[in-house]
Amino acid sequence: MSDRLQQFIQLLRTDDFMSGQDLARKSGISRSAIWKYIVKLRRYGYSIESRRGMGYRLTARTDLPVPWELEEILKTSFVGRKVVFKESVDSTQSLALRLAEKGEASGLVVIAEQQTAGRGRLKRKWASPKGGLWLSVILKPSITITMSTMLPFAAALAVCDAIRESAKADAKLKWPNDVMISGKKVAGILLDMSAEADRINYVVIGIGINANNDTSKLKIDRHAKPDISSIKDSTGKEVNRLELAANLLSKLEIYCSVLEKYGPDPIIREWKSRSDMLGKKITIVQQDRTLSGIASDIKEDGSLVLKHKRKEINIVAGDIIIS
Ligand code: BT5
């Protein structure tokens, strides 16, 4: 986004209508290009009133987390200080991985208004139409490879807290990486990592939040459909995605630095306090087996302890159904 467009938005923000001529003069954009800028901003979700003989006036700002708006409200020191925004992309995760491979710094965030090939864990598809919040963050944390299993937990905490704050919804956590409202999945987390010997080169944390998208229209695997929702569908109100994203990025920065400084304990403690599945009867669906029992604890490595026929079994992967 050029500085010119940013300046253009500043000019439109003034209370009065501004003529095309004045806009052109003050922004340095040619008169013939003014209309193109107006169309572009409207496409990004800005409401701009135009009146014959009077000019243009900004009546509502966008709620999309575009870099120039995020920059104004972000309170982080490095996460989100550089943002790549796409109206449409195959997957923010794939793009962020390519950028990380090229040497982009820790904290870079890729955000898309929609994804055409969004992905979940185990190469599953992640439906990502307009209205949601789809983003990936490059991080280079100073932690051991073993401790990296805690990163999705730190990210889930950040998502949970950001939803609680920005949407005033009672978000809860479900193992391993789901964020739920009223028992329905509203967000998921994905972790990709590049490491050598005992050193992490970088990780890319992908976060998908059904914010204002209509989940009844999502094209996803049939089995998961009854258990999913969006923030809007579950609260009845749209959430401001710009505020949600800013909140999320600052909490992600905080929880990752907690992990770096103090290790897994505080992350697991906070995670447990936002989850209501411990002590409940659950069924774990894994690729080759299904197990039922009581979810009894989360261990330091992020594995779930399942009490099954008087035995304790450590579960490292799987999908959970809470009875
Ligand atoms: C996840 O996988 O929950 C991780 C999702 C991560 C998505 C983000 S979006 C930004 C970044 N870029 C990407 O390409 N990905 C990340 P998992 O637990 O495996 O859940 C996947 C399953 O959830 C699918 O098999 C579907 O059944 C279901 N699903 C698909 N789209 C969904 C949606 N929008 N909301 C809820 N469930 C969905």
Side-chain angles (χ1 to χ4, degrees):
M1 181 71 149
S2 68
D3 291 346
R4 260 194 196 153
L5 189 44
Q6 223 159 334
Q7 202 185 349
F8 188 73
I9 296 166
Q10 290 298 346
L11 288 170
L12 283 173
R13 270 188 198 163
T14 48
D15 289 339
D16 258 349
F17 280 95
M18 193 170 276
S19 69
Q21 197 173 6
D22 278 351
L23 274 172
R25 191 169 47 80
K26 292 189 178 164
S27 65
I29 296 168
S30 72
R31 272 213 73 178
S32 56
I34 293 285
W35 182 244
K36 275 192 202 146
Y37 275 72
I38 299 279
V39 170
K40 185 167 184 172
L41 287 175
R42 281 185 176 148
R43 210 175 59 229
Y44 277 129
Y46 291 86
S47 296
I48 300 165
E49 195 183 345
S50 61
R51 275 207 207 150
R52 197 177 279 267
M54 292 178 80
Y56 304 96
R57 187 169 67 130
L58 186 70
T59 50
R61 288 167 75 167
T62 182
D63 92 314
L64 272 184
V66 285
W68 54 95
E69 294 285 351
L70 258 181
E71 200 179 299
E72 277 190 24
I73 59 169
L74 257 188
K75 296 193 182 83
T76 55
S77 67
F78 71 100
V79 173
R81 287 287 144 202
K82 186 169 174 191
V83 173
V84 174
F85 181 85
K86 299 279 179 196
E87 286 178 74
S88 182
V89 73
D90 52 353
S91 151
T92 57
Q93 195 76 357
S94 307
L95 176 54
L97 280 167
R98 290 197 292 275
L99 293 172
E101 203 45 50
K102 279 190 191 155
E104 276 292 350
S106 186
L108 178 117
V109 180
V110 179
I111 306 179
E113 197 183 1
Q114 64 178 353
Q115 301 183 110
T116 52
R119 52 192 173 83
R121 295 171 302 147
L122 308 167
K123 298 194 176 138
R124 292 163 175 164
K125 286 188 185 144
W126 183 260
S128 327
K130 285 185 180 177
L133 182 60
W134 325 118
L135 60 86
S136 296
V137 186
I138 298 175
L139 291 175
K140 301 183 180 177
S142 312
I143 55 172
T144 59
I145 293 179
T146 321
M147 223 194 272
S148 67
T149 51
M150 269 298 116
L151 284 167
F153 288 79
L157 267 177
V159 174
C160 182
D161 287 7
I163 292 178
R164 285 183 179 192
E165 242 175 75
S166 297
K168 309 280 174 283
D170 188 20
K172 293 229 158 75
L173 297 172
K174 182 176 148 196
W175 190 88
N177 61 4
D178 293 349
V179 184
M180 323 283 286
I181 300 178
S182 309
K184 294 182 177 179
K185 177 165 172 171
V186 294
I189 284 133
L190 179 67
L191 179 79
D192 285 305
M193 180 166 73
S194 156
E196 271 166 57
D198 58 350
R199 204 176 64 91
I200 294 176
N201 295 327
Y202 58 79
V203 297
V204 174
I205 300 181
I207 298 173
I209 306 179
N210 294 319
N212 301 326
N213 48 309
D214 178 355
T215 38
S216 67
K217 293 192 184 127
L218 280 188
K219 292 188 189 111
I220 61 166
D221 308 344
R222 192 174 283 257
H223 73 271
K225 221 161 188 174
D227 293 318
I228 69 169
S229 187
S230 67
I231 294 176
K232 185 182 169 199
D233 289 345
S234 51
T235 63
K237 273 191 292 199
E238 291 217 342
V239 61
N240 184 302
R241 287 172 293 171
L242 175 60
E243 192 195 311
L244 180 67
N247 227 328
L248 166 62
L249 296 178
S250 79
K251 295 194 185 331
L252 187 66
E253 185 173 290
I254 293 169
Y255 284 124
C256 287
S257 80
V258 166
L259 182 63
E260 282 178 324
K261 279 196 197 128
Y262 306 106
D265 284 358
I267 300 295
I268 293 177
R269 198 171 49 240
E270 292 302 313
W271 192 96
K272 282 184 190 172
S273 75
R274 288 161 187 73
S275 173
D276 54 7
M277 63 173 260
L278 293 181
K280 288 199 176 150
K281 191 162 181 264
I282 59 165
T283 301
I284 296 180
V285 183
Q286 294 182 314
Q287 270 173 329
D288 52 349
R289 62 175 180 173
T290 299
L291 280 174
S292 290
I294 305 289
S296 70
D297 204 6
I298 306 289
K299 287 199 146 176
E300 266 216 342
D301 59 358
S303 60
L304 171 72
V305 183
L306 181 79
K307 270 199 185 143
H308 173 78
K309 295 182 185 161
R310 294 206 188 141
K311 273 195 296 186
E312 289 204 329
I313 305 175
N314 256 12
I315 307 287
V316 294
D319 291 300
I320 286 189
I321 300 163
I322 302 176
S323 311

Short mmCIF file of all heavy atoms in Angstrom, two decimals, residues 239-293:
data_model
loop_
_atom_site.label_atom_id
_atom_site.label_comp_id
_atom_site.label_asym_id
_atom_site.label_seq_id
_atom_site.Cartn_x
_atom_site.Cartn_y
_atom_site.Cartn_z
N VAL A 239 -18.16 -9.29 14.82
CA VAL A 239 -16.99 -8.86 15.59
C VAL A 239 -16.13 -8.02 14.64
O VAL A 239 -16.06 -8.28 13.44
CB VAL A 239 -16.22 -10.09 16.14
CG1 VAL A 239 -15.71 -11.00 15.03
CG2 VAL A 239 -15.07 -9.68 17.03
N ASN A 240 -15.50 -6.99 15.20
CA ASN A 240 -14.62 -6.16 14.39
C ASN A 240 -13.29 -6.92 14.20
O ASN A 240 -12.53 -7.13 15.13
CB ASN A 240 -14.38 -4.82 15.10
CG ASN A 240 -13.54 -3.88 14.26
OD1 ASN A 240 -12.41 -4.21 13.88
ND2 ASN A 240 -14.08 -2.73 13.96
N ARG A 241 -13.05 -7.34 12.96
CA ARG A 241 -11.91 -8.21 12.70
C ARG A 241 -10.56 -7.51 12.88
O ARG A 241 -9.56 -8.12 13.22
CB ARG A 241 -11.99 -8.81 11.29
CG ARG A 241 -13.05 -9.88 11.18
CD ARG A 241 -13.24 -10.31 9.75
NE ARG A 241 -13.81 -9.23 8.96
CZ ARG A 241 -13.92 -9.26 7.63
NH1 ARG A 241 -13.48 -10.30 6.96
NH2 ARG A 241 -14.46 -8.26 6.98
N LEU A 242 -10.57 -6.20 12.66
CA LEU A 242 -9.35 -5.42 12.84
C LEU A 242 -8.94 -5.43 14.33
O LEU A 242 -7.80 -5.71 14.68
CB LEU A 242 -9.61 -3.99 12.35
CG LEU A 242 -8.51 -2.95 12.55
CD1 LEU A 242 -7.24 -3.35 11.83
CD2 LEU A 242 -8.99 -1.59 12.06
N GLU A 243 -9.93 -5.18 15.18
CA GLU A 243 -9.67 -5.16 16.62
C GLU A 243 -9.30 -6.57 17.11
O GLU A 243 -8.37 -6.76 17.89
CB GLU A 243 -10.94 -4.68 17.32
CG GLU A 243 -10.73 -4.35 18.78
CD GLU A 243 -12.06 -4.24 19.50
OE1 GLU A 243 -12.96 -3.54 18.99
OE2 GLU A 243 -12.20 -4.89 20.56
N LEU A 244 -10.03 -7.57 16.58
CA LEU A 244 -9.76 -8.96 16.96
C LEU A 244 -8.33 -9.36 16.59
O LEU A 244 -7.60 -9.97 17.39
CB LEU A 244 -10.77 -9.89 16.27
CG LEU A 244 -10.65 -11.38 16.53
CD1 LEU A 244 -10.97 -11.71 17.99
CD2 LEU A 244 -11.59 -12.18 15.61
N ALA A 245 -7.91 -8.98 15.39
CA ALA A 245 -6.57 -9.34 14.92
C ALA A 245 -5.50 -8.65 15.77
O ALA A 245 -4.51 -9.27 16.17
CB ALA A 245 -6.40 -8.97 13.45
N ALA A 246 -5.71 -7.37 16.07
CA ALA A 246 -4.72 -6.62 16.86
C ALA A 246 -4.59 -7.23 18.25
O ALA A 246 -3.48 -7.42 18.77
CB ALA A 246 -5.12 -5.15 16.95
N ASN A 247 -5.72 -7.55 18.82
CA ASN A 247 -5.77 -8.17 20.13
C ASN A 247 -5.03 -9.52 20.14
O ASN A 247 -4.24 -9.84 21.02
CB ASN A 247 -7.25 -8.44 20.44
CG ASN A 247 -7.61 -7.99 21.81
OD1 ASN A 247 -6.78 -8.03 22.70
ND2 ASN A 247 -8.86 -7.58 21.97
N LEU A 248 -5.36 -10.31 19.11
CA LEU A 248 -4.78 -11.64 18.97
C LEU A 248 -3.25 -11.58 18.84
O LEU A 248 -2.53 -12.32 19.50
CB LEU A 248 -5.40 -12.32 17.74
CG LEU A 248 -4.75 -13.57 17.19
CD1 LEU A 248 -4.77 -14.68 18.22
CD2 LEU A 248 -5.46 -14.03 15.92
N LEU A 249 -2.76 -10.68 18.00
CA LEU A 249 -1.32 -10.60 17.77
C LEU A 249 -0.59 -10.16 19.05
O LEU A 249 0.49 -10.67 19.35
CB LEU A 249 -1.00 -9.66 16.60
CG LEU A 249 -1.55 -10.13 15.24
CD1 LEU A 249 -1.23 -9.13 14.15
CD2 LEU A 249 -0.98 -11.51 14.86
N SER A 250 -1.20 -9.25 19.80
CA SER A 250 -0.49 -8.83 21.01
C SER A 250 -0.50 -9.94 22.06
O SER A 250 0.48 -10.16 22.76
CB SER A 250 -1.00 -7.49 21.53
OG SER A 250 -2.17 -7.67 22.24
N LYS A 251 -1.59 -10.71 22.12
CA LYS A 251 -1.62 -11.81 23.09
C LYS A 251 -0.67 -12.93 22.67
O LYS A 251 -0.04 -13.58 23.50
CB LYS A 251 -3.04 -12.32 23.26
CG LYS A 251 -3.90 -11.22 23.89
CD LYS A 251 -5.19 -11.69 24.39
CE LYS A 251 -6.09 -10.58 24.89
NZ LYS A 251 -5.44 -9.39 25.42
N LEU A 252 -0.58 -13.14 21.37
CA LEU A 252 0.35 -14.17 20.88
C LEU A 252 1.78 -13.81 21.27
O LEU A 252 2.55 -14.66 21.72
CB LEU A 252 0.21 -14.29 19.35
CG LEU A 252 0.98 -15.42 18.70
CD1 LEU A 252 0.44 -16.77 19.13
CD2 LEU A 252 0.92 -15.31 17.17
N GLU A 253 2.12 -12.54 21.11
CA GLU A 253 3.47 -12.10 21.48
C GLU A 253 3.71 -12.33 22.98
O GLU A 253 4.75 -12.83 23.39
CB GLU A 253 3.64 -10.61 21.12
CG GLU A 253 5.04 -10.11 21.37
CD GLU A 253 5.25 -8.68 20.85
OE1 GLU A 253 5.27 -8.48 19.63
OE2 GLU A 253 5.37 -7.77 21.70
N ILE A 254 2.70 -12.00 23.78
CA ILE A 254 2.85 -12.15 25.24
C ILE A 254 3.02 -13.63 25.62
O ILE A 254 3.95 -14.01 26.31
CB ILE A 254 1.63 -11.54 25.99
CG1 ILE A 254 1.63 -10.03 25.82
CG2 ILE A 254 1.65 -11.92 27.48
CD1 ILE A 254 0.36 -9.34 26.27
N TYR A 255 2.11 -14.49 25.13
CA TYR A 255 2.19 -15.91 25.52
C TYR A 255 3.47 -16.58 25.01
O TYR A 255 4.01 -17.46 25.67
CB TYR A 255 0.94 -16.67 25.07
CG TYR A 255 -0.25 -16.37 25.96
CD1 TYR A 255 -1.44 -15.88 25.42
CD2 TYR A 255 -0.19 -16.58 27.33
CE1 TYR A 255 -2.53 -15.59 26.24
CE2 TYR A 255 -1.27 -16.29 28.15
CZ TYR A 255 -2.44 -15.80 27.61
OH TYR A 255 -3.50 -15.52 28.43
N CYS A 256 3.94 -16.16 23.83
CA CYS A 256 5.19 -16.76 23.34
C CYS A 256 6.36 -16.32 24.20
O CYS A 256 7.26 -17.11 24.46
CB CYS A 256 5.42 -16.42 21.87
SG CYS A 256 4.30 -17.34 20.83
N SER A 257 6.33 -15.09 24.67
CA SER A 257 7.46 -14.69 25.52
C SER A 257 7.35 -15.33 26.90
O SER A 257 8.37 -15.63 27.53
CB SER A 257 7.62 -13.17 25.58
OG SER A 257 6.72 -12.62 26.47
N VAL A 258 6.14 -15.60 27.37
CA VAL A 258 5.98 -16.35 28.63
C VAL A 258 6.60 -17.74 28.47
O VAL A 258 7.34 -18.22 29.33
CB VAL A 258 4.48 -16.46 29.02
CG1 VAL A 258 4.27 -17.50 30.12
CG2 VAL A 258 3.93 -15.11 29.47
N LEU A 259 6.33 -18.37 27.32
CA LEU A 259 6.88 -19.71 27.06
C LEU A 259 8.41 -19.66 27.03
O LEU A 259 9.08 -20.53 27.60
CB LEU A 259 6.31 -20.24 25.74
CG LEU A 259 6.72 -21.64 25.33
CD1 LEU A 259 6.23 -22.67 26.34
CD2 LEU A 259 6.18 -21.99 23.94
N GLU A 260 8.95 -18.64 26.36
CA GLU A 260 10.41 -18.51 26.29
C GLU A 260 11.02 -18.32 27.68
O GLU A 260 12.05 -18.91 28.00
CB GLU A 260 10.80 -17.31 25.41
CG GLU A 260 10.69 -17.59 23.92
CD GLU A 260 11.02 -16.37 23.08
OE1 GLU A 260 10.69 -15.23 23.49
OE2 GLU A 260 11.60 -16.56 21.99
N LYS A 261 10.36 -17.50 28.50
CA LYS A 261 10.95 -17.16 29.81
C LYS A 261 10.71 -18.23 30.87
O LYS A 261 11.57 -18.53 31.67
CB LYS A 261 10.34 -15.85 30.32
CG LYS A 261 10.98 -14.64 29.71
CD LYS A 261 10.61 -13.40 30.54
CE LYS A 261 10.88 -12.15 29.74
NZ LYS A 261 9.77 -11.23 29.67
N TYR A 262 9.49 -18.78 30.89
CA TYR A 262 9.13 -19.64 32.03
C TYR A 262 8.85 -21.10 31.66
O TYR A 262 8.53 -21.91 32.54
CB TYR A 262 7.92 -19.06 32.77
CG TYR A 262 8.10 -17.63 33.18
CD1 TYR A 262 7.45 -16.60 32.50
CD2 TYR A 262 8.95 -17.30 34.24
CE1 TYR A 262 7.65 -15.27 32.88
CE2 TYR A 262 9.15 -15.98 34.62
CZ TYR A 262 8.49 -14.97 33.93
OH TYR A 262 8.68 -13.66 34.29
N GLY A 263 8.89 -21.43 30.37
CA GLY A 263 8.64 -22.82 29.98
C GLY A 263 7.15 -23.16 29.94
O GLY A 263 6.30 -22.27 30.05
N PRO A 264 6.83 -24.47 29.82
CA PRO A 264 5.45 -24.89 29.57
C PRO A 264 4.46 -24.69 30.73
O PRO A 264 3.28 -24.49 30.50
CB PRO A 264 5.56 -26.40 29.30
CG PRO A 264 7.00 -26.67 29.09
CD PRO A 264 7.77 -25.61 29.77
N ASP A 265 4.96 -24.70 31.99
CA ASP A 265 4.03 -24.70 33.15
C ASP A 265 2.94 -23.63 33.11
O ASP A 265 1.75 -23.96 33.21
CB ASP A 265 4.81 -24.60 34.47
CG ASP A 265 5.44 -25.93 34.83
OD1 ASP A 265 5.23 -26.89 34.06
OD2 ASP A 265 6.15 -26.01 35.84
N PRO A 266 3.32 -22.33 32.99
CA PRO A 266 2.24 -21.31 33.01
C PRO A 266 1.30 -21.42 31.82
O PRO A 266 0.10 -21.14 31.95
CB PRO A 266 3.00 -19.98 32.97
CG PRO A 266 4.40 -20.30 32.59
CD PRO A 266 4.66 -21.72 32.92
N ILE A 267 1.81 -21.90 30.69
CA ILE A 267 0.96 -22.04 29.50
C ILE A 267 -0.08 -23.13 29.76
O ILE A 267 -1.28 -22.96 29.52
CB ILE A 267 1.80 -22.37 28.23
CG1 ILE A 267 2.82 -21.26 27.94
CG2 ILE A 267 0.91 -22.64 27.01
CD1 ILE A 267 2.23 -19.92 27.57
N ILE A 268 0.39 -24.27 30.28
CA ILE A 268 -0.54 -25.38 30.56
C ILE A 268 -1.55 -24.97 31.62
O ILE A 268 -2.75 -25.24 31.50
CB ILE A 268 0.23 -26.65 31.00
CG1 ILE A 268 1.06 -27.16 29.81
CG2 ILE A 268 -0.72 -27.74 31.48
CD1 ILE A 268 1.92 -28.34 30.10
N ARG A 269 -1.06 -24.26 32.64
CA ARG A 269 -1.97 -23.82 33.72
C ARG A 269 -3.08 -22.92 33.15
O ARG A 269 -4.26 -23.14 33.40
CB ARG A 269 -1.16 -23.07 34.78
CG ARG A 269 -1.87 -22.95 36.10
CD ARG A 269 -0.99 -22.41 37.22
NE ARG A 269 -0.27 -21.20 36.84
CZ ARG A 269 1.05 -21.09 36.84
NH1 ARG A 269 1.81 -22.11 37.17
NH2 ARG A 269 1.64 -19.96 36.49
N GLU A 270 -2.68 -21.93 32.35
CA GLU A 270 -3.67 -21.01 31.77
C GLU A 270 -4.60 -21.76 30.81
O GLU A 270 -5.79 -21.51 30.75
CB GLU A 270 -2.97 -19.87 31.02
CG GLU A 270 -2.23 -18.91 31.91
CD GLU A 270 -3.11 -18.26 32.97
OE1 GLU A 270 -4.20 -17.79 32.63
OE2 GLU A 270 -2.71 -18.26 34.15
N TRP A 271 -4.01 -22.68 30.04
CA TRP A 271 -4.81 -23.45 29.07
C TRP A 271 -5.90 -24.24 29.81
O TRP A 271 -7.06 -24.21 29.42
CB TRP A 271 -3.88 -24.39 28.27
CG TRP A 271 -4.55 -25.00 27.07
CD1 TRP A 271 -4.51 -24.55 25.79
CD2 TRP A 271 -5.40 -26.17 27.06
NE1 TRP A 271 -5.27 -25.35 24.98
CE2 TRP A 271 -5.83 -26.35 25.73
CE3 TRP A 271 -5.84 -27.07 28.03
CZ2 TRP A 271 -6.66 -27.40 25.34
CZ3 TRP A 271 -6.67 -28.10 27.65
CH2 TRP A 271 -7.08 -28.26 26.33
N LYS A 272 -5.47 -24.91 30.89
CA LYS A 272 -6.44 -25.73 31.66
C LYS A 272 -7.57 -24.86 32.22
O LYS A 272 -8.71 -25.30 32.30
CB LYS A 272 -5.73 -26.43 32.81
CG LYS A 272 -4.93 -27.65 32.42
CD LYS A 272 -4.40 -28.26 33.71
CE LYS A 272 -3.40 -29.34 33.50
NZ LYS A 272 -2.77 -29.76 34.76
N SER A 273 -7.22 -23.64 32.64
CA SER A 273 -8.25 -22.79 33.26
C SER A 273 -9.29 -22.32 32.24
O SER A 273 -10.34 -21.83 32.60
CB SER A 273 -7.61 -21.59 33.96
OG SER A 273 -7.21 -20.64 32.99
N ARG A 274 -8.97 -22.46 30.95
CA ARG A 274 -9.94 -22.07 29.91
C ARG A 274 -10.59 -23.27 29.24
O ARG A 274 -11.26 -23.14 28.23
CB ARG A 274 -9.27 -21.19 28.87
CG ARG A 274 -8.94 -19.79 29.36
CD ARG A 274 -7.90 -19.17 28.47
NE ARG A 274 -7.41 -17.91 28.95
CZ ARG A 274 -6.59 -17.74 29.98
NH1 ARG A 274 -6.21 -18.77 30.70
NH2 ARG A 274 -6.17 -16.54 30.31
N SER A 275 -10.30 -24.45 29.77
CA SER A 275 -10.87 -25.65 29.15
C SER A 275 -11.82 -26.32 30.13
O SER A 275 -11.54 -26.38 31.33
CB SER A 275 -9.74 -26.63 28.80
OG SER A 275 -10.30 -27.83 28.35
N ASP A 276 -12.93 -26.81 29.61
CA ASP A 276 -13.84 -27.50 30.53
C ASP A 276 -13.91 -28.99 30.22
O ASP A 276 -14.84 -29.67 30.60
CB ASP A 276 -15.23 -26.85 30.54
CG ASP A 276 -15.81 -26.75 29.15
OD1 ASP A 276 -15.19 -27.31 28.22
OD2 ASP A 276 -16.87 -26.13 28.99
N MET A 277 -12.88 -29.49 29.51
CA MET A 277 -12.98 -30.91 29.14
C MET A 277 -12.33 -31.86 30.15
O MET A 277 -12.64 -33.05 30.16
CB MET A 277 -12.38 -31.14 27.75
CG MET A 277 -10.92 -30.84 27.64
SD MET A 277 -10.28 -31.33 26.05
CE MET A 277 -9.53 -32.87 26.49
N LEU A 278 -11.42 -31.33 31.00
CA LEU A 278 -10.77 -32.23 31.94
C LEU A 278 -11.77 -32.77 32.96
O LEU A 278 -12.63 -32.05 33.45
CB LEU A 278 -9.60 -31.53 32.65
CG LEU A 278 -8.43 -31.17 31.73
CD1 LEU A 278 -7.30 -30.51 32.50
CD2 LEU A 278 -7.89 -32.38 30.97
N GLY A 279 -11.70 -34.08 33.21
CA GLY A 279 -12.64 -34.73 34.12
C GLY A 279 -13.87 -35.27 33.38
O GLY A 279 -14.69 -35.96 33.97
N LYS A 280 -13.97 -34.93 32.10
CA LYS A 280 -15.16 -35.39 31.36
C LYS A 280 -14.88 -36.67 30.58
O LYS A 280 -13.73 -36.97 30.24
CB LYS A 280 -15.60 -34.31 30.37
CG LYS A 280 -16.24 -33.13 31.05
CD LYS A 280 -17.05 -32.33 30.08
CE LYS A 280 -17.75 -31.21 30.83
NZ LYS A 280 -17.96 -30.04 30.01
N LYS A 281 -15.97 -37.35 30.24
CA LYS A 281 -15.85 -38.55 29.43
C LYS A 281 -15.66 -38.11 27.97
O LYS A 281 -16.43 -37.27 27.46
CB LYS A 281 -17.13 -39.38 29.57
CG LYS A 281 -16.97 -40.73 28.98
CD LYS A 281 -18.03 -41.69 29.48
CE LYS A 281 -17.79 -43.04 28.85
NZ LYS A 281 -18.57 -43.31 27.68
N ILE A 282 -14.62 -38.66 27.35
CA ILE A 282 -14.37 -38.27 25.96
C ILE A 282 -14.09 -39.50 25.09
O ILE A 282 -13.76 -40.57 25.59
CB ILE A 282 -13.15 -37.31 25.84
CG1 ILE A 282 -11.87 -37.98 26.38
CG2 ILE A 282 -13.41 -36.00 26.53
CD1 ILE A 282 -10.60 -37.26 25.98
N THR A 283 -14.21 -39.28 23.79
CA THR A 283 -13.80 -40.32 22.84
C THR A 283 -12.74 -39.70 21.94
O THR A 283 -12.91 -38.58 21.46
CB THR A 283 -15.01 -40.77 21.99
OG1 THR A 283 -15.99 -41.28 22.90
CG2 THR A 283 -14.62 -41.85 21.01
N ILE A 284 -11.63 -40.43 21.80
CA ILE A 284 -10.56 -39.92 20.94
C ILE A 284 -10.55 -40.72 19.65
O ILE A 284 -10.47 -41.95 19.65
CB ILE A 284 -9.19 -40.06 21.64
CG1 ILE A 284 -9.21 -39.16 22.89
CG2 ILE A 284 -8.07 -39.63 20.72
CD1 ILE A 284 -7.96 -39.18 23.66
N VAL A 285 -10.63 -39.97 18.55
CA VAL A 285 -10.61 -40.63 17.25
C VAL A 285 -9.23 -40.42 16.65
O VAL A 285 -8.81 -39.29 16.40
CB VAL A 285 -11.70 -40.05 16.32
CG1 VAL A 285 -11.72 -40.78 14.98
CG2 VAL A 285 -13.06 -40.08 17.00
N GLN A 286 -8.50 -41.53 16.49
CA GLN A 286 -7.19 -41.46 15.86
C GLN A 286 -7.28 -42.15 14.50
O GLN A 286 -8.29 -42.76 14.19
CB GLN A 286 -6.14 -42.14 16.75
CG GLN A 286 -5.94 -41.38 18.06
CD GLN A 286 -4.88 -42.00 18.94
OE1 GLN A 286 -4.89 -43.21 19.12
NE2 GLN A 286 -4.01 -41.19 19.49
N GLN A 287 -6.19 -42.05 13.73
CA GLN A 287 -6.26 -42.61 12.38
C GLN A 287 -6.58 -44.10 12.38
O GLN A 287 -7.34 -44.59 11.56
CB GLN A 287 -4.96 -42.35 11.63
CG GLN A 287 -5.06 -41.02 10.88
CD GLN A 287 -3.75 -40.60 10.26
OE1 GLN A 287 -2.68 -40.90 10.77
NE2 GLN A 287 -3.84 -39.91 9.15
N ASP A 288 -5.99 -44.84 13.35
CA ASP A 288 -6.16 -46.29 13.32
C ASP A 288 -6.98 -46.85 14.48
O ASP A 288 -7.18 -48.06 14.58
CB ASP A 288 -4.78 -46.97 13.31
CG ASP A 288 -3.90 -46.45 14.44
OD1 ASP A 288 -4.30 -45.44 15.07
OD2 ASP A 288 -2.85 -47.04 14.71
N ARG A 289 -7.42 -45.98 15.43
CA ARG A 289 -8.22 -46.52 16.54
C ARG A 289 -9.09 -45.43 17.17
O ARG A 289 -8.87 -44.24 16.97
CB ARG A 289 -7.32 -47.16 17.60
CG ARG A 289 -6.38 -46.16 18.24
CD ARG A 289 -5.58 -46.77 19.38
NE ARG A 289 -4.70 -45.76 19.94
CZ ARG A 289 -3.96 -45.91 21.01
NH1 ARG A 289 -3.99 -47.05 21.68
NH2 ARG A 289 -3.19 -44.95 21.46
N THR A 290 -10.08 -45.89 17.94
CA THR A 290 -10.94 -44.98 18.69
C THR A 290 -10.91 -45.42 20.14
O THR A 290 -11.05 -46.62 20.43
CB THR A 290 -12.38 -45.06 18.15
OG1 THR A 290 -12.34 -44.66 16.78
CG2 THR A 290 -13.31 -44.13 18.89
N LEU A 291 -10.68 -44.47 21.06
CA LEU A 291 -10.56 -44.81 22.47
C LEU A 291 -11.51 -43.95 23.30
O LEU A 291 -11.63 -42.75 23.04
CB LEU A 291 -9.15 -44.49 22.96
CG LEU A 291 -8.02 -45.46 22.68
CD1 LEU A 291 -6.70 -44.84 23.13
CD2 LEU A 291 -8.27 -46.76 23.45
N SER A 292 -12.14 -44.55 24.31
CA SER A 292 -12.98 -43.74 25.20
C SER A 292 -12.43 -43.79 26.61
O SER A 292 -11.77 -44.76 27.00
CB SER A 292 -14.40 -44.29 25.22
OG SER A 292 -14.99 -44.03 23.98
N GLY A 293 -12.66 -42.73 27.37
CA GLY A 293 -12.19 -42.69 28.75
C GLY A 293 -12.42 -41.31 29.33
O GLY A 293 -13.19 -40.52 28.79
#
